[in-house]
């Protein structure tokens, strides 16, 4: 849980550097702090930013799965943020807290949670709805029962976990892919996972490995949500649109997952 004092300098620097997407979640326990900081920013004319200029996302906690619990959780999150609507709201995880991964209730609960999001969408409390950490199986089932096709799917995505199957499913259904953990929780840039071609590409382009990884995702048409605790890296990440990775280097990066596969975050594969 981050305090207002901890978050304020990072959020303010991000806004000043041109960031306009705020990604949060109930489990991050920072919604109230972010809401306070954003109100300060809206009131400070030096930022030149209003609510309509930002794209604010939050996500459902696994303990709030199910229609009624999800509906209430979104309203509670809005209250903590001090907002009238979210630009995007996602089901954070396909499972339910305190339920076995194999329990069929997981499928029933996330289906009903999504129905609640569809209702909230119709009420204007969320402008876009979607999911996070869904496998092909989870997303295929949702597509067979939903009324509104998810606008966004957010999942772990980097050259060591390039998931063609789920990417193809999103593309075929016009679902926007949003990548998280683009730097492999730091392991792809701090030497924990050594990838020679990434080092070579970064050196040739005179860019940091972090910036190359972010640009790789952008060139694929995926939304990125880079996170950092330091203002210097926030400024650096904002330069992701200032260069392009050559086609031959994109191919090299695309192939990394075939010989150096790694998953650094949650694995939803065993959730029923």
């Amino acid at each position: 849980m981050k305090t207002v004092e901890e978050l304020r300098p990072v959020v303010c620097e991000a806004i000043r550097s041109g960031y306009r997407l705020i990604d949060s979640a109930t489990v991050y326990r920072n919604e109230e702090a972010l809401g306070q900081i954003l109100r300060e920013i809206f009131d400070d004319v030096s930022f030149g930013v209003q609510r309509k200029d930002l794209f604010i996302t939050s996500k459902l906690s696994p303990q709030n799965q199910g229609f009624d619990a999800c509906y209430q959780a979104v309203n509670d999150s809005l209250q903590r943020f001090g907002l009238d609507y979210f630009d995007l709201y996602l089901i954070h995880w396909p499972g339910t807290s305190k339920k076995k991964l194999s329990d069929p209730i997981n499928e029933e609960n996330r289906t009903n949670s999504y129905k609640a999001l569809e209702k909230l969408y119709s009420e204007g409390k969320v402008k876009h709805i979607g999911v996070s950490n869904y496998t092909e199986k989870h997303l295929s089932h949702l597509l067979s029962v939903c009324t509104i096709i998810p606008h966004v799917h957010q999942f772990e995505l980097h050259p060591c976990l390039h998931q063609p199957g789920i990417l193809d499913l999103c593309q075929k259904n016009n679902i926007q892919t949003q990548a998280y953990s683009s730097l492999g929780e730091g392991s792809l840039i701090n030497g924990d996972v050594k990838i020679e071609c990434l080092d070579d590409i970064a050196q040739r382009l005179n860019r940091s490995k972090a910036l190359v990884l972010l640009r790789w995702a952008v060139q694929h048409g995926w939304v990125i949500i880079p996170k950092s605790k330091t203002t210097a890296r926030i400024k650096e990440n904002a330069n992701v649109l200032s260069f392009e990775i050559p086609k031959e280097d994109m191919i090299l990066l695309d192939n990394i997952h075939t010989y150096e596969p790694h998953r650094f975050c949650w694995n939803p594969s065993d959730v029923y």
Side-chain angles (χ1 to χ4, degrees):
M1 181 178 179
K2 296 292 186 180
T3 66
V4 171
E5 288 70 27
E6 290 174 304
L7 287 173
R8 184 183 285 114
V10 177
V11 175
C12 288
E13 182 58 48
I15 298 298
R16 292 193 189 279
S17 297
Y19 289 65
R20 293 296 180 264
L21 187 154
I22 304 291
D23 181 84
S24 184
T26 297
V27 297
Y28 300 164
R29 297 193 298 165
N30 62 10
E31 292 174 316
E32 193 168 354
L34 281 172
Q36 180 177 328
I37 295 165
L38 290 176
R39 286 191 294 275
E40 294 172 4
I41 289 172
F42 298 149
D43 291 340
D44 187 340
V45 294
S46 70
F47 284 95
V49 172
Q50 302 176 42
R51 168 65 184 96
K52 64 181 179 62
D53 300 318
L54 298 185
F55 192 94
I56 301 174
T57 301
S58 198
K59 299 183 279 292
L60 183 73
S61 169
Q63 70 179 7
N64 297 133
Q65 290 276 28
F67 186 94
D68 291 337
C70 175
Y71 188 87
Q72 185 62 49
V74 176
N75 282 289
D76 289 344
S77 286
L78 284 170
Q79 186 174 16
R80 285 192 290 272
F81 259 104
L83 297 174
D84 296 323
Y85 68 92
F86 284 119
D87 296 279
L88 173 65
Y89 198 91
L90 307 174
I91 296 175
H92 205 166
W93 179 250
T96 303
S97 293
K98 299 181 180 180
K99 299 296 181 182
K100 291 183 178 180
L101 299 179
S102 59
D103 194 329
I105 196 67
N106 289 307
E107 181 178 87
E108 179 182 343
N109 281 347
R110 64 176 176 266
T111 299
N112 288 328
S113 293
Y114 196 81
K115 289 179 180 179
L117 294 189
E118 290 178 325
K119 177 176 173 60
L120 289 155
Y121 174 82
S122 70
E123 294 172 348
K125 292 184 177 179
V126 291
K127 302 299 183 183
H128 302 85
I129 57 178
V131 296
S132 180
N133 296 299
Y134 275 37
T135 64
E136 288 179 71
K137 179 190 73 173
H138 302 141
L139 186 55
S140 295
H141 174 262
L142 177 59
L143 290 169
S144 72
V145 298
C146 67
T147 300
I148 301 168
I149 292 177
H151 299 112
V152 174
H153 184 197
Q154 181 188 112
F155 55 98
E156 182 180 353
L157 181 58
H158 44 73
C160 291
L161 190 65
H162 187 184
Q163 306 181 66
I166 194 70
L167 288 167
D168 288 345
L169 188 57
C170 287
Q171 185 176 24
K172 289 175 182 177
N173 289 278
N174 294 315
I175 300 170
Q176 176 63 58
T177 293
Q178 188 173 56
Y180 78 75
S181 192
S182 295
L183 312 184
E185 298 296 284
S187 293
L188 301 182
I189 61 174
N190 63 15
D192 288 348
V193 177
K194 184 70 173 175
I195 302 173
E196 187 172 334
C197 76
L198 175 59
D199 294 337
D200 293 342
I201 293 168
Q203 187 173 7
R204 283 200 302 274
L205 296 176
N206 194 28
R207 297 294 195 281
S208 68
K209 289 188 287 186
L211 212 51
V212 169
L213 290 167
L214 295 176
R215 180 66 198 183
W216 171 78
V218 168
Q219 281 186 218
H220 273 296
W222 308 325
V223 175
I224 54 174
I225 45 174
K227 62 180 180 180
S228 178
K229 299 176 182 177
T230 65
T231 56
R233 287 179 180 169
I234 287 172
K235 289 180 180 179
E236 180 190 25
N237 291 342
N239 292 318
V240 69
L241 302 179
S242 67
F243 72 105
E244 188 167 327
I245 300 174
K247 182 178 180 181
E248 58 270 21
D249 288 334
M250 287 292 290
I251 293 172
L252 290 174
L253 294 169
D254 287 348
N255 288 334
I256 289 173
H257 74 102
T258 63
Y259 61 86
E260 193 68 53
H262 292 278
R263 183 189 290 273
F264 300 99
C265 303
W266 304 344
N267 188 347
S269 301
D270 293 330
V271 178
Y272 182 88

